[in-house]
Amino acid sequence: MSFTLPELPYSYDALNPFMSRETLEYHHDKHHQAYVTNGNNLLKGTEFEGKTLEEIVKGSYGKNAGLFNNAGQHFNHIHFWKWMKPNGGGAIPGELEKKIVEDLGSVEKMKEDFIQAGVTQFGSGWNWLAVKDGKIVVMKTPNGENPLVHGATPILGCDVWEHSYYIDYRNRRPDYLKAFVDSLVNWEYVAELYSKAV
């Protein structure tokens, strides 16, 4: 399958004031488009042609760095746009909330640990909630890596590459992460991925 850039599920202004039109135009139209274009070029003539995106990500990890980086980032961003919504944050659907409390202590503790994972990811990367061995865990990964290549299924991720926040927050990564958790997360989509993962 070839990679295609998905439409944003909201307008470019929809996430103001937490994520600006300018950030979304650069991040979606330029950065994500580049992963799609480069990924398609690097996919040609490899054993991964015709495979699903998830299979490409898992199969190219540790074997084809260029393809993995672009396929991984394409996978991450397809979900990243859906992990946010206008008037996000707020209440977490019941089953998911129950599991978060069970596995991570409390919703507040989960938010703190998730933010801390993003703050302490050195350089570019992502912080995650993922399902591993039936439990929800907090993870962080460098560059375009994601929990798929570490035996886990991602259910929420935040992009901590500088292009994701520098226009709006400059070097204040903790402020960006707090805004993401408190005001942008689409918990219904997280719950949907959680129910598929279990």
Side-chain angles (χ1 to χ4, degrees):
M1 61 168 263
S2 63
F3 304 160
T4 52
L5 184 70
E7 296 277 314
L8 284 178
Y10 31 71
S11 75
Y12 287 95
D13 293 318
L15 304 182
N16 266 328
F18 308 105
M19 191 174 282
S20 65
R21 164 183 277 272
E22 188 183 1
T23 289
L24 284 174
E25 285 174 346
Y26 272 94
H27 196 175
H28 175 269
D29 301 2
K30 303 278 195 296
H31 288 279
H32 191 177
Q33 180 62 64
Y35 302 133
V36 166
T37 304
N38 294 333
N40 282 329
N41 289 335
L42 291 162
L43 188 59
K44 280 178 201 150
T46 70
E47 66 196 279
F48 303 108
E49 271 189 301
K51 295 211 179 335
T52 68
L53 179 55
E54 207 164 298
E55 288 169 337
I56 294 166
V57 170
K58 288 178 179 171
S60 62
Y61 181 62
K63 292 188 191 135
N64 183 332
L67 177 59
F68 171 75
N69 290 337
N70 287 280
Q73 283 289 71
H74 180 44
F75 176 92
N76 296 350
H77 283 80
I78 284 172
H79 292 290
F80 184 60
W81 311 127
K82 295 185 198 169
W83 277 321
M84 299 183 288
K85 68 172 187 178
N87 308 306
I92 300 174
E95 278 301 300
L96 176 61
E97 184 178 16
K98 210 169 91 185
K99 186 68 174 153
I100 285 169
V101 171
E102 187 184 310
D103 293 342
L104 298 171
S106 70
V107 169
E108 275 321 298
K109 177 87 167 66
M110 172 275 291
K111 288 179 178 179
E112 280 170 29
D113 292 352
F114 180 81
I115 288 170
Q116 191 55 20
V119 169
T120 57
Q121 172 50 44
F122 185 75
S124 298
W126 293 73
N127 54 312
W128 307 94
L129 288 183
V131 176
K132 186 167 190 174
D133 305 324
K135 281 191 155 56
I136 295 179
V137 295
V138 175
M139 299 175 74
K140 60 183 176 178
T141 56
N143 302 317
E145 267 182 43
N146 64 47
L148 288 177
V149 299
H150 299 289
T153 305
I155 60 171
L156 175 65
C158 185
D159 186 348
V160 294
W161 287 57
E162 285 186 343
H163 63 237
S164 191
Y165 62 88
Y166 224 81
I167 290 168
D168 300 322
Y169 297 90
R170 293 297 182 248
N171 62 333
R172 301 190 326 274
R173 189 190 281 188
D175 292 354
Y176 158 67
L177 283 157
K178 188 170 179 353
F180 179 84
V181 168
D182 291 345
S183 306
L184 290 174
V185 174
N186 178 356
W187 287 110
E188 286 74 25
Y189 185 59
V190 180
E192 188 188 313
L193 293 178
Y194 167 71
S195 64
K196 283 183 192 159
V198 294

